[in-house]
Amino acid sequence: MRRLVDTLRDGGSLPRQWADAVAAVDRAAFIPDVCPGLDRAADEAEWLAAVYSDRPVVTQVDDGAEGGPGVPTSSSSQPSQMLEMLELLDVHEGQRVLEIGTATGYHAAWLCHRLGSDHVTSVEIDERLHRQAAGSLAAAGYAPRLVVGDGSRGWADGAPYDRIISTCTLREITPELLVQTRDGGRIVTPFGSSFHSYSYLTLDVHDGVGDGRFSGRPAFMWSRPQRGRGAELSDVYRGERGERGTTDLDPSELNAPDAMFAVSLRVRDAWPEIDWENDGSGEWTYWLLSDDRRSWARVEFVPGRAEFETEQSGPRRLWDEVAAAYRRWKSLGSPRRSRHRLRVTPEGQSVGLAPA
């Protein structure tokens, strides 16, 4: 356990106010002996190295179903990213916290150590994970209120909360979460869309309205009810011909983080993939695939060209949507992600720009 504390401290990732919790809660008590790619009985040294490192440990694939493709669906998140999010949460003694996504219970244990178990409520959608976390927390001496349900809707019976924190990525702040946050309270979550999901959202709630800002570059799993993507290229494109055209927009410009973020605000239910040629030519294909698997688009990138071939198929013209979103962002002066603000009301959410 000391190894993890030292690693976080040496990396400048251990906030003073959370140091006691990290030192007191043994991560090993919350990691199953057998995880995807790890088996404590077969190689305890490897298991311990993973547990006490500053990296995520996958604890479930395919939502726990047998015989699936092995897609990670639950984990003990990277400790430094958990602490980064807790700093944004700015929690204080005496405050009541709702956690969305109990998972292993490790993060809930930190909250309990800092605030006391009676100040912590944690919601988990997967009943098997809920049971495992409950056992681990009890064995470690913690007793938060644990609930099985859709955490993206909160848990009204325990409201209002001073702070709400999600350990899974959300694409929507639901009206329920807004209502369940005390006036002057705060919601912190990984946030995004299928196009781009690598941001923390810090949302301050006043008079029933949330005003939020974006930061960081987190990588968390999705809230199950708000998942997108979940498909391979072959699930969407099956060799059919599409509508062909050309564009003078270099698709490589879309790979810049601020550009991806800006496009993601307008194209929320489709995602990009890059498929490189293996012949050393430097050529690649920029794919766009819709969440509903009904539409696709591609742009053929060839180095040195000023115009690129496009092809689009399905009910939507995905390349046209992405190009329009990108050009709108450019017309606004290419504002950085940090200038964007999310406003959430009971009627929905919208994004604007803070003054330059």
Side-chain angles (χ1 to χ4, degrees):
M1 186 161 61
R2 172 54 55 184
R3 185 190 318 171
L4 176 57
V5 173
D6 291 343
T7 296
L8 293 168
R9 182 175 288 120
D10 292 346
S13 301
L14 186 58
R16 177 189 53 79
Q17 62 270 33
W18 289 100
D20 286 347
V22 177
V25 179
D26 189 354
R27 193 184 190 196
F30 295 87
I31 306 298
D33 288 346
V34 179
C35 299
L38 291 173
D39 187 328
R40 189 172 192 173
D43 192 336
E44 185 168 28
E46 181 185 26
W47 186 90
L48 288 169
V51 168
Y52 293 128
S53 68
D54 182 29
R55 64 181 177 92
V57 177
V58 174
T59 56
Q60 184 197 69
V61 296
D62 304 323
D63 294 334
E66 299 290 337
V71 177
T73 50
S74 190
S75 71
S76 173
S77 301
Q78 183 175 347
S80 59
Q81 290 200 341
M82 293 162 59
L83 291 163
E84 186 179 7
M85 192 158 50
L86 285 168
E87 279 203 278
L88 293 171
L89 193 66
D90 189 31
V91 68
H92 300 277
E93 282 68 15
Q95 292 183 330
R96 301 176 67 253
V97 176
L98 172 69
E99 177 191 48
I100 300 169
T102 314
T104 66
Y106 181 50
H107 186 263
W110 282 0
L111 290 167
C112 290
H113 185 87
R114 172 86 185 275
L115 301 171
S117 295
D118 57 341
H119 286 72
V120 179
T121 300
S122 184
V123 184
E124 172 57 54
I125 198 168
D126 187 308
E127 189 167 354
R128 183 184 302 179
L129 294 178
H130 161 83
R131 290 195 304 269
Q132 291 173 345
S136 298
L137 284 159
Y142 300 110
R145 180 185 285 114
L146 299 176
V147 179
V148 177
D150 176 5
S152 68
R153 303 288 176 182
W155 192 63
D157 289 353
Y161 305 99
D162 300 286
R163 299 288 189 266
I164 295 178
I165 185 168
S166 176
T167 62
C168 51
T169 303
L170 301 179
R171 67 173 69 221
E172 176 191 4
I173 303 300
T174 62
E176 292 91 337
L177 291 182
L178 200 63
V179 168
Q180 293 172 32
T181 304
R182 191 185 302 276
D183 190 55
R186 174 173 288 186
I187 300 171
V188 175
T189 179
F191 184 86
S193 70
S194 295
F195 199 90
H196 179 277
S197 59
Y198 306 107
S199 297
Y200 292 118
L201 169 67
T202 302
L203 190 80
D204 292 315
V205 179
H206 297 281
D207 299 323
V209 175
D211 288 298
R213 61 189 185 277
F214 302 97
S215 64
R217 189 168 172 76
F220 283 78
M221 295 177 190
W222 279 96
S223 163
R224 290 188 191 180
Q226 295 192 16
R227 278 179 187 160
R229 304 177 75 146
E232 302 293 333
L233 174 59
S234 59
D235 296 322
V236 185
Y237 171 68
R238 301 175 181 84
E240 66 272 29
R241 292 285 296 269
E243 177 184 306
R244 296 178 180 250
T246 60
T247 182
D248 61 359
L249 174 55
D250 184 338
S252 63
E253 294 183 29
L254 296 165
N255 295 329
D258 285 333
M260 286 192 71
F261 174 81
V263 173
S264 77
L265 300 175
R266 293 184 167 271
V267 184
R268 299 186 55 77
D269 53 358
W271 76 95
E273 284 192 11
I274 292 178
D275 185 18
W276 286 88
E277 296 292 338
N278 294 320
D279 56 8
S281 65
E283 298 179 11
W284 45 273
T285 302
Y286 182 85
W287 286 94
L288 292 165
L289 309 167
S290 66
D291 285 353
D292 64 8
R293 307 186 185 189
R294 299 175 60 204
S295 301
W296 58 264
R298 62 181 176 184
V299 182
E300 301 297 336
F301 177 83
V302 179
R305 288 194 179 174
E307 194 169 68
F308 308 93
E309 295 178 359
T310 66
E311 189 173 7
Q312 306 181 79
S313 179
R316 298 168 60 184
R317 292 298 177 260
L318 287 176
W319 173 250
D320 293 347
E321 291 181 31
V322 167
Y326 175 81
R327 289 187 166 115
R328 181 181 184 277
W329 173 68
K330 293 290 285 186
S331 73
L332 294 172
S334 306
R336 298 181 65 85
R337 179 188 59 173
S338 57
R339 277 194 59 203
H340 290 82
R341 297 290 183 268
L342 182 75
R343 183 173 177 84
V344 184
T345 70
E347 289 72 41
Q349 58 191 34
S350 59
V351 177
L353 289 176

